Amino acid sequence: MDTDFIIGHYNYWLVILLMMTGLYTVVSRGNYIKKIVGLNVFQTSVFMMYISMGKVSGGTAPILETGITLYSNPLPHVLILTAIVVGVATTAVGLSIVVRIHQAYGTIEEDEVNDADHRMEFGKEDLP
Amino acid sequence: MSGILQDPGTIILLTMILPTIGAVLIGLTGKWPNLREAVSLLTGVVLIGLVLTLLQHVLNGGEASIELLDVMPGIPLAFEIERLGMMFAVVASVLWTVNTVYGIGYMRGNNEDNHTRFFACFAVAIGSTMGIAFAGNVFTLFVFYEILTLSTYPLVTHKGTPEAQAGGRRYLGLLMGTSIGFFLVAIIWTWAIAGTLDFELGGILAGSVDEGIVPILLALYMFGIGKAALMPFHFWLPAAMVAPTPVSAFLHAVAVVKAGVFSVLKVVVYVFGVDFLAGTGANIWLIWVASATILLASIVAMTKDNLKARLAYSTVGQLAYVVLGAAMATSLGIVGGAMQIAMHAMGKITLFMCAGAIYVAAHKTLVSELDGLGRKMPFTFAAFFIGSLSIIGLPPTGGAWSKWFLMQGSVEAGDIILIFVLMLSSVLNVAYLIPIAIRGFFAGTEFAGAQPAPVGAAVSPDAKTGGWWQNIEEAPILCVIPLCLTALGCIVLFFFVDPIAAYLNEMLVPVEAPVLPDPTPTTE
Amino acid sequence: MPLAAAPLCLFLGRGLLPWIFATGVCWVAFVIAIALALDLSGGSVITYQMGGWAPPLGIEYRLDALSAVALLIVTGAAAAVSLYSRPSVLREIEPANHGLFYTLFLLCVTGLAGVVATGDAFNVFVFLEVASLSTYCLVALGGRKDRRALSAAYTYLVMGTIGATFFVIGVGLAYMVTGTLNMVDLAQRLPPIGDNRTVAAAFTFIAVGMGMKLAMFPLHLWLPNAYTFAPSAVSAFLAGTSTKVAVYVLIRFLFTVFGLEFDFEQFALIAVFLPLGIAAMFVASIVAIFQVDAKRMLAYSSVAQIGYMILGISLATKTGLTGAILHMGNHAIMKVALFMTMGAIMYRLGTTSIPHMAGLGRDMPWTMAAFVIGGLSLIGVPLTVGFISKWYLIQAALELGWWPIAMLIVMSSLLAVIYVWRIVEMAYLQPSPPNRQISRAPTIMLLPMWVLVLANIYFGIDASFPTTLANQAALLLLGGQP
C-alpha cells in the first residue's frame, strides 16, 4: 500500500475514523445523551462517505448554468439530504425518549436505570 | 337422507363429524347431566350404526374413499376404508360405547369433577380414532394421531393434582416428542423419497429407496409411533395411570395404544410392504426389540403391586406382540398382529374396567389388598379372570387365537426362538395375572383364622345369616354390566374367530394367500 | 396501491375518531393487498414509477410474489390489530396520546408497506426509518404502564439506527461500484463486477444491518424488551410485521440483488447463517422456557422462529426458501394472534406474568382457547399453519440429505412444546385465586383474535394459496430475474 493510495483516499480514512469514534461512543458510554451524540457522529460519517463519492474532481456544483460540462453527481447529495432528515428525526425521537426516561427514573445513566429495573423486578413482588 | 347414507365416502366423514358434533352438544348440555349422558350414548350408538354400515359395505367387497382437499400440493387429506382399518373402527366404536356407559357409572360413583369436559374430550378422541382408522395416507394418519394425543391430554390430567400434571406432562412430552421427533421426520423423508404418501398394498417405498436407509426409516417409524409403546418409549403408559380408570381403559384398550399398533401395522403393510421389508432384512432388529419388550414388560409387571400399574406393563408387553407380528413381515404374522389388536382390546378393557370397579366399590388400588374381595364382587372378579385368560392366551377366550396365529407366523418366518419367547411370555402372564383373581376368591378364607383381617371377619358369617348375595358389594350397576359384556365378548370371540381370520386374510390377498389352519377349537 | 393511503394519515392529527379512521384505512389497504396478491400469485410483476422518472434515476415501486406475501402480512396484521387496539389503547395509553398513537400506527404501516413495495435500495432505507421511528415512539408509549418501556425503546432506537446506518453504508458502497440504486439494475450490474472488495463490504454491511433489524440471533438483544414493554396492540403489530419486513429485505437483497452464486459460492453464507439460525432456534427457545412473563416468553420465541426463517434462507433451495417465506407469513399470523391473547389478558388481569394466569382457562375461555391454538401452531402441530412451514423446512433439509438439520428443527419444536405448555398447564390445571373477579375479554378484542386463529387453522388445512404464492416467490428469487 503506497503513500499515494493512503493520501488519495484520505476522505475514506476520515470516514472510517469518524465511524469508529461514533460506534465506540455508542457502545462504551453509559450516559444516554452521550450515546446519542455517538450515534450522530456515526451517521455523519456515512453522510460524508456518500457526499465524497459524489464528488468529481474539478467539477462544479450541479446547477443550471450553460457551459458547464463537468459537475459532481447530484444524486448522492439528494440522498443524503433525505438521510440527514432521517438522522435529525432519529435524534429528536431519541432525545425525547431520554427526557421521558429522566422523568421516570430521575437519571440518564444506563447503569442506574438498569439497577432500578432490576430492583423493581426482583425486589418487589408485583409489577404496578 | 337415504341417498347420503348410501354413499360410503360420506359415511366415513360422518364417523368423524358425528363425535365432533357430539362433543359440542355435550359441551352445550353440560348443565343437565342426564341429557348430556344421553347425548354421549346416542353418539356411541349412532357411531356403531355407521361403522357397521361400512362393515357391511366392505364385506360385500365394496371399496370407498374420499378426498377432502390438498393440504399441500400432492398431499391431500384423504380417507379410504380397507379391512384392517375397518376392523379397528368396529372394535374402537363398540368398545368406546361400552366404555362410555362404564365411564358414566364410574364418574358418578366416584364423584369426579368436570364431567362435561371429560365426556366432550372423550367424544373428540373417538372421532380422531375413526380418522386414524380410515386414513388414506400417512399424512392423514399423522394428523389424526396428533389430534388424538391432544384430545386425550385433558383426560389424563383430569384430576388436576400435581401427580396428574406430572403424568400428563410425561404423556404429552413422550408422545409428542416421538411423533414430531421421529414420525414426522420419517413421513417427510418418505415423501422426499417416494413422492407419495398414499397407502398402497405392497408398499410405496419398494424400489425407490436405498437398502441401507430402510432400517433407519423403519426405526424412525417404529419409535416415532410412541403410542405403540415399544421399549424404551413406553414410559408414558405407566405415567398415564394417574387418569381415571375409564380413561385408562380407553387409552389401553380402545384407542390410543391401539391407534399406535394399528399405525405400525399400516406402515409395515402399506408403506414398506411386507415382502419388501422381509427382503431387505431390515425387520430383524425390530423382532428382537419387540421380543425384548414382551419379556421385560412382563417381568416388570410382576414386580408391580399397584393393580393399574401392573396392567399397564402388561399392555406394554401385549402391544409388542402386535409389533412383533408386524416385524415378522409374514402374512400370518400380520394377521396375528391384527387379530391381537381386537383380542387384546377386548381382554384389556375388561381388566381395566374391573380395576376401576374395584376402586369405586372398595377404594383398593393394590394387588396385595384384594384378598377375599372376590367374594364380595363375584361378577367383577369372574370377569377379571376371563380377561386374564384372554390376555394369557388360553382357550376358551379370543386371546388364544391371536397367539396361535403369531406362533404360526414365527414358524413361517423360520424363527423358532420366537415361539419360545411367546411361550415364556404366556407363562409370565400367568404369573402376574392369575394370582390376582386367586387372591380375590380364595385368599381371604384360607387365612381367615390366622389373619384378623376385617375382610375375613365380614365373610365368615355369610353361611349362617343369609344368602351369599347379601355380602355382595358390587360397584354401580353401570360399571358392572359393561365389564360383564366385554368378558362375554372375550369368550364369544373364541368361537367366532373363523370369520375374523378369513376377513383379515383378505387384506393381504393381492400379496399372497396364506394357507390358514383349520380354525376350530380342537386344534389348540 | 396501498401507498395511496399514506398521505391520508398525515391529515389525521388529533381527529375526533382516529380509531375508526385508522381501522378503515388499514382495512382498505388490506383489501387492496389481497387483490394485488391474487394478481401476483401468477408470477407477474407490477411496477409504478414515482414522479414519472425512468427507473434508473427515479424511484420505482415494483411488486412481485415475494412482495405480495410481505404486503399481505403487513396490511393483514395492521387491519387486525387496528380493529383490536381500541380497548387496549384506552387502557394502556394516556388519553391525550390516542390521536398520536393512531397517527404513528399508520405511519408505521406506511413505512413497512413502502419498504415492501419499493424497488429502490435507498428508498428501502427511508421507509424503514419511517417505520422504525414510529415504532420507537409506539414502544415508548408503553411508558405509562411500565417505565421500562422507555429504556427498551431507547435500546431499540440505538440498535435500530445502527442497523439502518449499516444498511445505508452497504447501499452506498454498492452504489459506488454500480452507479445505480434500482434493485433490478443493481442485480444486473453486480455480477460482472464479480470479486470486488467493495462489493463484499457492501454485502456484509447490508447483511449485518438487516440482521440487526430482524433480530437475527446474536443481534436480537433489543427485541425481548421492546416486545415485552410496548403496549399490547403494538407488541402484536410489531411481532407480526417489523421483523418480517426486515426478513423480506434480507431475502430481497440476498437473492434478487446479489444473486445466489455470490451469496453462497463466494461468501459461504451458509456457514454463517445456518449455525446462527440453529443457535437462535435453540438458545432463544431455551431462554423462553425460563421466562416468567408470558409476553417476554413469546418475544424470545419470536427470536427462535426467526431462526427458522434464517435456516430456510441458508438452505438456498426452492423448498427451503418456500419454507422460509411461508414461515414468515405463518409466524406473523400466529404471533399476532398470540400477542393479542396477551393483550386481552393484560386488559383483564393487568399483568402477563405466568404465575398470575392460574385458572384463566375458566375465567377467560375464549382467550385461552385462542392461546392454545396459537401455541399449537407455534409447536407445529398438524392442521395449523406452523405445521406447513415446518414441513417445508424439514423437507428442504432432507432433500439436501442433511438429516441432522431436520432432527434439529424437530427438536427445537419440542422446546416450543415445553414453553407453550407451561402456560396451558397454568391456565387450565391450576385453580384460580379465590377472590379474583374477571370477565371474558371484550368482543372487539376477541373478534380479530379469533379471525386470526381461524386463519391459522384454515391455512393449516388448506394451504394451497399461501404455498403457491410462496413457491412462486421462491422460484422468482432463485430463477434470477422475472
Side-chain angles (χ1 to χ4, degrees):
Chain A
M1 220 187 279
D2 54 275
T3 345
D4 277 352
F5 178 82
I6 296 175
I7 296 174
H9 290 75
Y10 76 95
N11 51 343
Y12 294 111
W13 298 119
L14 274 178
V15 166
I16 292 170
L17 187 71
L18 270 180
M19 195 183 285
M20 289 305 125
T21 316
L23 208 53
Y24 178 75
T25 315
V26 174
V27 175
S28 65
R29 298 294 125 171
N31 186 305
Y32 282 143
I33 302 266
K34 288 184 183 164
K35 270 180 187 284
I36 291 201
V37 172
L39 209 57
N40 266 310
V41 173
F42 178 56
Q43 287 182 320
T44 311
S45 73
V46 181
F47 305 157
M48 303 284 276
M49 184 191 86
Y50 265 79
I51 293 169
S52 64
M53 80 188 173
K55 171 71 181 166
V56 177
S57 50
T60 61
I63 43 173
L64 274 179
E65 182 85 27
T66 47
I68 296 176
T69 49
L70 196 64
Y71 54 88
S72 296
N73 185 352
L75 195 59
H77 295 94
V78 177
L79 296 179
I80 283 321
L81 220 52
T82 323
I84 289 173
V85 174
V86 171
V88 168
T90 312
T91 314
V93 171
L95 286 176
S96 54
I97 293 180
V98 174
V99 171
R100 289 289 308 273
I101 290 180
H102 186 71
Q103 285 170 355
Y105 288 86
T107 176
I108 52 167
E109 290 294 327
E110 194 172 24
D111 298 348
E112 293 172 21
V113 170
N114 286 347
D115 280 354
D117 282 348
H118 196 266
R119 271 201 305 279
M120 191 166 78
E121 199 159 343
F122 299 102
K124 276 195 283 174
E125 266 295 302
D126 269 325
L127 299 182
Chain B
M1 190 64 201
S2 62
I4 294 175
L5 289 178
Q6 295 298 316
D7 176 28
T10 322
I11 301 180
I12 296 180
L13 282 187
L14 275 179
T15 57
M16 277 157 277
I17 296 169
L18 178 79
T20 318
I21 297 173
V24 174
L25 283 180
I26 289 169
L28 290 177
T29 54
K31 292 197 178 87
W32 307 279
N34 288 328
L35 187 59
R36 178 188 64 207
E37 259 83 297
V39 171
S40 280
L41 289 178
L42 192 67
T43 309
V45 172
V46 178
L47 185 64
I48 294 178
L50 288 174
V51 171
L52 288 181
T53 321
L54 282 177
L55 179 66
Q56 192 62 40
H57 182 71
V58 173
L59 287 179
N60 291 338
E63 286 181 348
S65 61
I66 186 163
E67 221 170 82
L68 284 187
L69 41 81
D70 273 9
V71 173
M72 275 170 281
I75 308 176
L77 210 55
F79 303 98
E80 65 178 331
I81 42 176
E82 41 72 50
R83 290 176 169 253
L84 186 60
M86 197 59 240
M87 184 200 73
F88 180 48
V90 171
V91 170
S93 60
V94 171
L95 290 186
W96 183 78
T97 312
V98 174
N99 200 6
T100 308
V101 175
Y102 175 79
I104 295 169
Y106 181 90
M107 296 299 275
R108 292 190 173 182
N110 236 358
N111 296 323
E112 300 262 358
D113 298 326
N114 289 327
H115 288 211
T116 309
R117 182 176 80 191
F118 181 86
F119 287 110
C121 288
F122 224 55
V124 173
I126 190 65
S128 46
T129 310
M130 291 295 125
I132 293 174
F134 294 130
N137 55 33
V138 193
F139 175 76
T140 316
L141 181 79
F142 179 73
V143 166
F144 283 97
Y145 183 92
E146 291 290 308
I147 298 179
L148 183 60
T149 309
L150 290 171
S151 61
T152 45
Y153 171 78
L155 296 175
V156 173
T157 55
H158 185 78
K159 284 181 181 161
T161 55
E163 304 92 72
Q165 272 185 45
R169 212 174 286 161
R170 203 188 273 184
Y171 176 75
L172 191 76
L174 206 70
L175 286 187
M176 278 259 188
T178 50
S179 69
I180 295 182
F182 304 127
F183 197 14
L184 180 61
V185 175
I187 292 173
I188 298 178
W189 204 344
T190 309
W191 167 247
I193 293 171
T196 175
L197 287 175
D198 293 345
F199 286 128
E200 268 169 42
L201 207 51
I204 51 177
L205 284 171
S208 56
V209 62
D210 183 28
E211 290 209 351
I213 294 178
V214 177
I216 304 173
L217 206 51
L218 185 68
L220 283 177
Y221 271 120
M222 291 304 131
F223 290 123
I225 302 172
K227 290 196 174 99
L230 201 58
M231 276 187 183
F233 293 109
H234 65 282
F235 287 104
W236 65 269
L237 253 180
M241 282 297 98
V242 294
T245 308
V247 176
S248 308
F250 184 76
L251 294 180
H252 287 250
V254 181
V256 178
V257 295
K258 291 292 140 40
V261 286
F262 171 74
S263 308
V264 166
L265 283 179
K266 275 283 235 194
V267 165
V268 167
V269 176
Y270 294 103
V271 174
F272 286 94
V274 176
D275 294 338
F276 176 64
L277 201 58
T280 55
N283 55 339
I284 303 296
W285 68 267
L286 187 59
I287 291 181
W288 296 118
V289 172
S291 307
T293 306
I294 292 176
L295 295 181
L296 285 175
S298 300
I299 292 168
V300 175
M302 288 167 66
T303 67
K304 296 288 172 190
D305 193 29
N306 184 312
L307 181 55
K308 279 170 78 178
R310 188 178 284 198
L311 293 180
Y313 274 99
S314 157
T315 306
V316 174
Q318 296 291 319
L319 290 178
Y321 276 78
V322 183
V323 179
L324 184 64
M328 286 172 191
T330 62
S331 47
L332 278 174
I334 302 281
V335 170
M339 202 178 280
Q340 169 79 355
I341 291 183
M343 303 303 182
H344 174 249
M346 203 54 109
K348 219 12 121 24
I349 199 171
T350 312
L351 294 186
F352 268 104
M353 285 182 182
C354 292
I358 292 168
Y359 179 71
V360 172
H363 286 276
K364 299 263 194 313
T365 53
L366 299 180
V367 174
S368 50
E369 296 172 338
L370 299 180
D371 292 4
L373 208 57
R375 286 189 301 278
K376 281 186 171 183
M377 308 176 66
F379 290 107
T380 307
F381 273 81
F384 193 94
F385 183 68
I386 296 171
S388 306
L389 288 184
S390 186
I391 296 294
I392 297 163
L394 293 175
T397 56
W401 287 114
S402 52
K403 305 272 153 85
W404 170 259
F405 278 105
L406 282 172
M407 288 188 186
Q408 292 265 325
S410 47
V411 172
E412 196 182 23
D415 248 325
I416 303 303
I417 305 172
L418 288 182
I419 296 184
F420 287 106
V421 169
L422 292 171
M423 295 297 244
L424 187 57
S425 164
S426 287
V427 172
L428 289 172
N429 290 347
V430 171
Y432 68 75
L433 282 175
I434 294 300
I436 300 174
I438 292 184
R439 260 174 192 278
F441 281 121
F442 303 114
T445 35
E446 278 184 41
F447 303 106
Q451 273 183 336
V455 180
V459 169
S460 48
D462 64 347
K464 305 276 182 220
T465 53
W468 56 273
W469 57 87
Q470 287 193 340
N471 280 299
I472 291 176
E473 294 173 23
E474 275 283 9
I477 190 82
L478 280 178
C479 288
V480 178
I481 290 179
L483 61 89
C484 292
L485 282 178
T486 52
L488 273 179
C490 290
I491 299 177
V492 170
L493 278 177
F494 178 75
F495 294 105
F496 289 92
V497 74
D498 196 8
I500 300 177
Y503 166 81
L504 284 174
N505 226 13
E506 292 219 352
M507 175 175 93
L508 296 161
V509 161
V511 182
E512 57 182 302
V515 185
L516 267 188
D518 179 24
T520 49
T522 46
T523 48
E524 179 70 7
Chain C
M1 299 268 295
L3 286 163
L8 282 174
C9 64
L10 296 179
F11 297 112
L12 254 178
R14 290 167 184 250
L16 277 176
L17 288 169
W19 171 60
I20 293 178
F21 183 72
T23 311
V25 170
C26 290
W27 280 97
V28 170
F30 183 48
V31 170
I32 297 174
I34 293 177
L36 278 173
L38 288 176
D39 243 23
L40 292 168
S41 58
S44 56
V45 175
I46 296 175
T47 58
Y48 170 79
Q49 278 130 31
M50 193 79 158
W53 293 79
L57 275 179
I59 297 171
E60 179 201 26
Y61 293 94
R62 60 184 286 121
L63 286 163
D64 57 18
L66 178 63
S67 334
V69 175
L71 205 56
L72 270 184
I73 297 173
V74 171
T75 53
V81 171
S82 59
L83 186 61
Y84 163 90
S85 62
R86 181 77 180 152
S88 140
V89 167
L90 279 181
R91 179 69 54 102
E92 292 173 25
I93 295 172
E94 292 155 48
N97 286 344
H98 286 175
L100 210 55
F101 172 84
Y102 288 107
T103 315
L104 287 168
F105 183 75
L106 281 183
L107 265 178
C108 190
V109 176
T110 314
L112 294 172
V115 171
V116 171
T118 188
D120 181 281
F122 195 78
N123 213 232
V124 168
F125 164 72
V126 174
F127 275 119
L128 207 55
E129 280 308 272
V130 169
S132 303
L133 282 173
S134 43
T135 314
Y136 306 147
C137 300
L138 285 172
V139 172
L141 278 178
R144 181 198 184 199
K145 180 187 68 194
D146 188 333
R147 59 181 180 172
R148 278 175 290 177
L150 296 172
S151 43
Y154 184 85
T155 321
Y156 186 17
L157 179 130
V158 172
M159 299 281 277
T161 309
I162 293 176
T165 314
F166 268 39
F167 178 75
V168 181
I169 298 172
V171 172
L173 292 173
Y175 177 69
M176 258 181 187
V177 285
T178 57
T180 179
L181 285 171
N182 186 289
M183 290 195 212
V184 178
D185 286 347
L186 272 175
Q188 281 163 356
R189 292 190 202 176
L190 276 174
I193 299 170
D195 196 7
N196 180 311
R197 217 181 297 165
T198 316
V199 179
F203 177 78
T204 318
F205 272 118
I206 290 177
V208 173
M210 274 304 121
M212 252 174 186
K213 283 272 183 197
L214 65 80
M216 191 157 80
F217 165 59
L219 308 173
H220 68 276
L221 294 171
W222 58 268
L223 187 139
N225 274 335
Y227 281 17
T228 311
F229 299 120
S232 315
V234 177
S235 315
F237 182 66
L238 287 187
T241 53
S242 67
T243 50
K244 306 299 172 300
V245 168
V247 171
Y248 161 83
V249 175
L250 187 70
I251 294 180
R252 176 62 79 202
F253 271 86
L254 284 183
F255 292 96
T256 311
V257 175
F258 284 95
L260 196 57
E261 295 82 27
F262 182 80
D263 299 341
F264 290 95
E265 282 167 24
Q266 242 168 292
F267 241 80
L269 194 64
I270 197 161
V272 181
F273 272 18
L274 191 66
L276 284 185
I278 291 174
M281 277 152 45
F282 278 88
V283 176
S285 297
I286 290 170
V287 174
I289 292 173
F290 293 104
Q291 294 307 315
V292 182
D293 188 286
K295 263 172 108 177
R296 188 183 281 260
M297 185 204 87
L298 288 179
Y300 273 107
S301 138
S302 280
V303 177
Q305 302 292 322
I306 288 165
Y308 287 110
M309 293 169 219
I310 298 291
L311 180 78
I313 293 172
S314 71
L315 293 176
T317 59
K318 186 172 135 277
T319 327
L321 212 49
T322 310
I325 295 168
L326 265 180
H327 201 58
M328 207 162 98
N330 292 345
H331 179 240
I333 297 178
M334 56 192 163
K335 258 306 156 42
V336 174
L338 282 174
F339 271 107
M340 278 182 171
T341 64
M342 286 303 129
I345 290 170
M346 178 67 111
Y347 184 74
R348 285 296 183 213
L349 204 59
T351 173
T352 50
S353 130
I354 296 177
H356 283 89
M357 291 186 189
L360 263 191
R362 273 177 292 277
D363 294 329
M364 302 176 71
W366 288 98
T367 310
M368 286 320 291
F371 180 86
V372 170
I373 297 177
L376 290 178
S377 188
L378 206 56
I379 300 168
V381 171
L383 297 187
T384 59
V385 285
F387 177 72
I388 308 284
S389 36
K390 272 185 195 156
W391 175 285
Y392 271 96
L393 288 175
I394 296 174
Q395 196 191 331
L398 286 176
E399 271 173 7
L400 290 172
W402 296 347
W403 59 269
I405 306 271
M407 294 307 279
L408 287 173
I409 296 176
V410 154
M411 276 164 63
S412 74
S413 323
L414 295 179
L415 292 175
V417 177
I418 300 178
Y419 59 72
V420 169
W421 228 254
R422 278 178 67 221
I423 295 187
V424 173
E425 275 190 359
M426 189 57 80
Y428 283 96
L429 295 177
Q430 299 288 345
S432 30
N435 48 6
R436 188 176 62 193
Q437 287 294 326
I438 54 172
S439 47
R440 57 184 61 178
T443 318
I444 199 124
M445 293 177 109
L446 284 175
L447 191 71
M449 194 194 295
W450 271 92
V451 167
L452 283 175
V453 165
L454 292 179
N456 228 324
I457 297 176
Y458 177 74
F459 287 122
I461 295 176
D462 183 9
S464 49
F465 172 63
T467 41
T468 327
L469 203 58
N471 216 336
Q472 188 61 250
L475 268 181
L476 278 182
L477 290 172
L478 293 175
Q481 286 316 299

